[in-house]
Amino acid sequence: MATRLFSLSLHVATLPTEDAADSHSKASLQNFVHDTIENKNYQSVTMPITNQNWTQRWKNMCLTEPGQTEVKKDIENQRAAEAWRAGSSGPLRRDEVNITKIEEAEYITGMAADWLELDSPDVWVRFDSELALKQELAHASYLGIQTVILPPPRNRAHVTDYARAVNSCLLGSGISPYTHLSIPSTHAPVISDADLNSTWEMWDTIRSMCDYNSRLSLTLDLTAPLPSSLHSLSRWAAEPARYIFLPASSFDFLKDMAQHRPSVILANTHASLHATGGPQAYPQYIRHLEKSSPFYKALETPGTVESFAQGYQDFLQAPLQPLMDNLQSSTYETFERDPVKYAKYEEVSSMVLCVAGAGRGGIVARCLSAMVRSGRKGHIYALEKNPNAYITLQERQEEWGDHVSVIFGDMRTTTLPEPADIVVSELLGSFGDNELSPECLDGAMRFLKPDGISIPSSYTAHLAPLSSSKLWNEVCNSSRERKHAETPYVVMFQAVNILSADSPCGGRIQEAWGFIHPRSDVLVDTQGLPMTNTHNVRAAHLTFHVPYAGILHGLAGYFEACLYGDIGLSIHPERQEFVSPNMLSWFPMFFPFKDPIYLPNNAELEVSMWRLTDKRKVWYEWSLLGARMD
């Protein structure tokens, strides 16, 4: 079955019917939804929960006409309004709602009435709008409608009133649908960078006041043409955008959003805006954009990172600790599916070798291949401390013959029968040193001849300020224990935005520290082991330029390694495609902050990170020192 990046939803303002008297025929609604799903390339229908009957009744009760005073207003309407506010006038009426049965609601995304003004300057209009919204949401919950798109915020001066009302709905009893906001909202013919910045700040205020509620997400409204500034648009990639409201007159921005797999709501498809094609041309063109997007092509190409990592996007994982834990066979198998990494190791391996941390033998096999290819004679010592992987190595001994000696033991304490020309290891983590490669290789350097070399010979860790409400919410809102925000995670980034840009104060992504092997300046004991681990302590103090306002949720961590000479490995976003394209073995690191931090336009962000150690463990600490205007 073909991969689907976009889920398509047809937007209808009212149920299409020629007979107004049939507008409440539930068979008609069910038939229309069924026909749309089965025959017209859509997966759902997006439609208002209520209709004009409810609109008119609410306005009669709650609004005063221009020039009219409350004294002159129909006393009966006033009484009806007070009874409605008190909850004694009954719920919504059958002729005021478009959907009444659970059978009709299965493929429907609900839309709250667009005339509701949760941010009206009039406090009473705000109050009555909130009551009406809760009534619609309660009806949607009763029908099992999972998604309700709210009217967009329109008044920045009262965005906190809007946010308070939404939060009250999220926390209210009996209301369970996921709630989406329609943003950006503007009636201007073009959205400028300033408009988009203002819209994003309103969204940020709303979700912050709703305490990053996981039931609150975003609907991007692309009705108006978007600005051309890529950086001003990129911040939306870090937001939980689950829907895109797309009128038939515009198809911008879709290819870049394909990787987020949004639901696309197509509007005005019957308005004859284009001379040819008809209504079916629009979903067909969306499918064309889907298949022509770079993400789709990479997803369908075996061996690419996107194909390999399906299901891992924005999925938090604890970093591996191979020094403390014995890895499972399936973990080694995942590593061995990366042809790029092993090809790079094969390019630099020959002579007398020690593979320190041989695992299931992936690197050993590549080293043998390198010896054969180079025509050199050599011998390999495959050293492994995992007793389970050691069994696999013994099985492969028959395949390798006398060219390989399999040794069980810890590289920090084991001795070899003879000195090695090269020590080869694959102990690198997503941040370079996070799987304790420096500490392990301190012990393995004893195996080398005086002029011996280590592969890798060096590696560096790199940082960048990151915005991702999704990742932060996974870390900090899934559990209130603060320790979860003091733990780095391995994650394949998707719904993220790097906030920084190149500037005189530093690059977009900056180097934090590095390690070199072997080192000649470390004091060792009689066994050749370092006397302490203080030489592996590191500290970094970095300044980043943030050109556009955003929310800082944490730091992104990457690594780059030099295996030997000009052969290397990298997950650095700006260099991976040149150093080791399509490498699969490592995802970046996410270092979360305990609380989101707002950064204004042109901010200078100062962050610090430390790699610390004692006699028993190694750990990281990271901190925001300050953010100031440029």
Side-chain angles (χ1 to χ4, degrees):
M1 193 171 83
T3 302
R4 286 284 184 253
L5 303 181
F6 296 120
S7 174
L8 301 184
S9 182
L10 178 65
H11 173 254
V12 292
T14 58
L15 179 63
T17 176
E18 295 180 1
D19 184 0
D22 190 44
S23 62
H24 302 302
S25 167
K26 299 310 153 188
S28 176
L29 175 58
Q30 286 181 258
N31 291 339
F32 172 73
V33 173
H34 182 269
D35 181 62
T36 300
I37 302 301
E38 293 294 322
N39 304 319
K40 296 182 179 178
N41 296 320
Y42 291 95
Q43 285 70 57
S44 66
V45 172
T46 299
M47 65 185 302
I49 297 169
T50 57
N51 55 41
Q52 286 298 315
N53 294 332
W54 167 237
T55 302
Q56 193 57 51
R57 181 162 75 99
W58 186 87
K59 288 183 177 180
N60 288 340
M61 290 190 301
C62 301
L63 297 185
T64 302
E65 296 296 330
Q68 187 182 37
T69 66
E70 287 292 335
V71 175
K72 294 182 179 180
K73 188 176 179 179
D74 188 325
I75 191 66
E76 290 301 319
N77 284 337
Q78 291 186 51
R79 290 175 186 254
E82 285 299 296
W84 171 72
R85 291 171 186 135
S88 57
S89 65
L92 293 167
R93 299 168 184 169
R94 184 179 183 277
D95 65 347
E96 295 173 341
V97 295
N98 292 323
I99 315 151
T100 60
K101 296 180 181 179
I102 193 170
E103 295 84 357
E104 303 160 0
E106 182 178 0
Y107 297 105
I108 286 180
T109 296
M111 296 187 73
D114 60 2
W115 45 262
L116 295 174
E117 295 185 68
L118 302 175
D119 50 0
S120 170
D122 188 309
V123 63
W124 298 111
V125 172
R126 294 200 303 268
F127 177 77
D128 288 341
S129 294
E130 182 179 342
L131 288 181
L133 175 61
K134 288 181 176 178
Q135 209 161 9
E136 290 196 33
L137 292 178
H139 182 64
S141 294
Y142 168 73
L143 293 173
I145 295 175
Q146 293 298 304
T147 303
V148 175
I149 300 175
L150 303 187
R154 302 177 177 89
N155 188 343
R156 187 174 184 180
H158 290 277
V159 68
T160 54
D161 293 297
Y162 183 104
R164 188 212 59 77
V166 171
N167 192 47
S168 177
C169 292
L170 290 168
L171 300 179
S173 60
I175 298 175
S176 63
Y178 290 90
T179 307
H180 295 252
L181 301 182
S182 181
I183 296 176
S185 60
T186 177
H187 299 291
V190 177
I191 305 175
S192 67
D193 283 327
D195 293 329
L196 202 62
N197 191 60
S198 175
T199 301
W200 178 85
E201 288 181 343
M202 285 197 293
W203 156 250
D204 180 59
T205 298
I206 295 163
R207 57 96 174 271
S208 297
M209 288 187 63
C210 292
D211 198 24
Y212 280 72
N213 194 301
S214 60
R215 293 166 53 205
L216 183 68
S217 60
L218 184 67
T219 295
L220 288 177
D221 188 343
L222 304 187
T223 302
L226 296 173
S228 59
S229 172
L230 180 62
H231 208 117
S232 64
L233 291 173
S234 62
R235 76 185 72 185
W236 297 102
E239 302 299 344
R242 296 179 183 170
Y243 282 77
I244 295 177
F245 193 90
L246 186 70
S249 58
S250 172
F251 287 93
D252 296 332
F253 198 41
L254 273 187
K255 285 187 177 181
D256 290 339
M257 292 300 293
Q259 61 180 324
H260 303 295
R261 300 173 182 257
S263 295
V264 178
I265 303 171
L266 286 170
N268 300 329
T269 58
H270 291 270
S272 300
L273 298 174
H274 299 89
T276 60
Q280 285 304 296
Y282 300 112
Q284 291 168 4
Y285 186 60
I286 292 293
R287 293 305 179 203
H288 165 72
L289 289 178
E290 176 182 74
K291 292 182 178 179
S292 62
S293 70
F295 182 77
Y296 181 93
K297 292 178 180 178
L299 200 65
E300 294 295 295
T301 303
T304 62
V305 175
E306 290 80 3
S307 176
F308 169 78
Q310 291 190 61
Y312 286 97
Q313 292 90 349
D314 292 331
F315 179 74
L316 299 172
Q317 304 175 72
L320 295 175
Q321 299 185 43
L323 187 62
M324 181 176 68
D325 301 326
N326 292 321
L327 302 182
Q328 300 297 315
S329 181
S330 59
T331 304
Y332 289 115
E333 182 179 11
T334 300
F335 293 158
E336 292 162 10
R337 289 169 58 192
D338 187 344
V340 175
K341 175 179 68 175
Y342 290 108
K344 292 290 184 179
Y345 272 97
E346 183 177 333
E347 290 183 43
V348 296
S349 301
S350 61
M351 303 169 64
V352 177
L353 295 129
C354 170
V355 178
R360 301 198 315 175
I363 293 290
V364 176
R366 291 293 184 146
C367 290
L368 274 175
S369 176
M371 286 183 176
V372 172
R373 185 163 48 85
S374 66
R376 293 187 178 185
K377 294 182 179 181
H379 190 79
I380 298 174
Y381 294 98
L383 177 61
E384 178 55 49
K385 78 169 188 64
N386 184 338
N388 305 307
Y390 179 63
I391 295 174
T392 303
L393 290 174
Q394 292 176 82
E395 287 187 347
R396 299 195 69 177
Q397 181 82 63
E398 298 179 7
E399 167 194 341
W400 298 327
D402 296 336
H403 297 293
V404 177
S405 297
V406 176
I407 300 174
F408 176 71
D410 190 320
M411 69 184 73
R412 296 170 297 171
T413 56
T414 302
T415 58
L416 295 184
E418 62 178 314
D421 296 289
I422 303 173
V423 169
V424 183
S425 66
E426 52 171 334
L427 302 169
L428 297 169
S430 296
F431 201 50
D433 57 81
N434 61 286
E435 293 184 13
L436 303 185
S437 178
E439 286 71 22
C440 293
L441 291 182
D442 278 346
M445 292 302 98
R446 300 173 297 121
F447 306 150
L448 283 175
K449 296 176 180 177
D451 59 347
I453 63 172
S454 169
I455 298 174
S457 60
S458 64
Y459 40 93
T460 50
H462 303 259
L463 290 169
L466 184 80
S467 178
S468 177
S469 59
K470 181 178 181 181
L471 293 182
W472 185 88
N473 210 41
E474 290 274 342
V475 173
C476 296
N477 272 2
S478 59
S479 173
R480 291 297 179 179
E481 294 186 41
R482 304 298 278 180
K483 66 180 182 180
H484 292 289
E486 297 174 349
T487 301
Y489 297 88
V490 174
V491 55
M492 183 182 179
F493 292 150
Q494 181 169 320
V496 303
N497 179 33
I498 300 296
L499 295 170
S500 51
D502 291 333
S503 73
C505 71
R508 177 171 174 259
I509 301 170
Q510 299 182 28
E511 181 178 326
W513 53 64
F515 291 87
I516 298 174
H517 302 288
R519 289 182 58 170
S520 58
D521 58 343
V522 179
L523 293 176
V524 297
D525 58 21
T526 55
Q527 295 180 326
L529 296 171
M531 299 180 69
T532 70
N533 197 37
T534 55
H535 61 286
N536 286 326
V537 170
R538 295 290 186 274
H541 306 284
L542 306 174
T543 301
F544 295 93
H545 173 66
V546 178
Y548 294 97
I551 300 297
L552 178 67
H553 293 106
L555 300 172
Y558 309 94
F559 87 91
E560 188 162 296
C562 172
L563 296 181
Y564 182 75
D566 60 354
I567 301 171
L569 304 171
S570 179
I571 62 169
H572 190 296
E574 297 171 353
R575 294 202 284 269
Q576 179 175 0
E577 64 176 302
F578 305 108
V579 179
S580 50
N582 289 321
M583 188 171 64
L584 312 174
S585 290
W586 291 277
F587 297 155
M589 292 280 282
F590 174 51
F591 297 90
F593 284 121
K594 293 180 180 178
D595 298 295
I597 299 146
Y598 173 79
L599 302 175
N601 287 339
N602 295 314
E604 297 295 320
L605 176 67
E606 296 182 10
V607 298
S608 289
M609 179 171 280
W610 300 266
R611 185 185 198 267
L612 302 172
T613 180
D614 60 19
K615 293 181 179 180
R616 297 184 302 107
K617 61 184 181 295
V618 176
W619 70 94
Y620 297 109
E621 295 181 10
W622 55 97
S623 175
L624 171 68
L625 299 184
R628 63 179 186 273
M629 294 294 292
D630 188 3

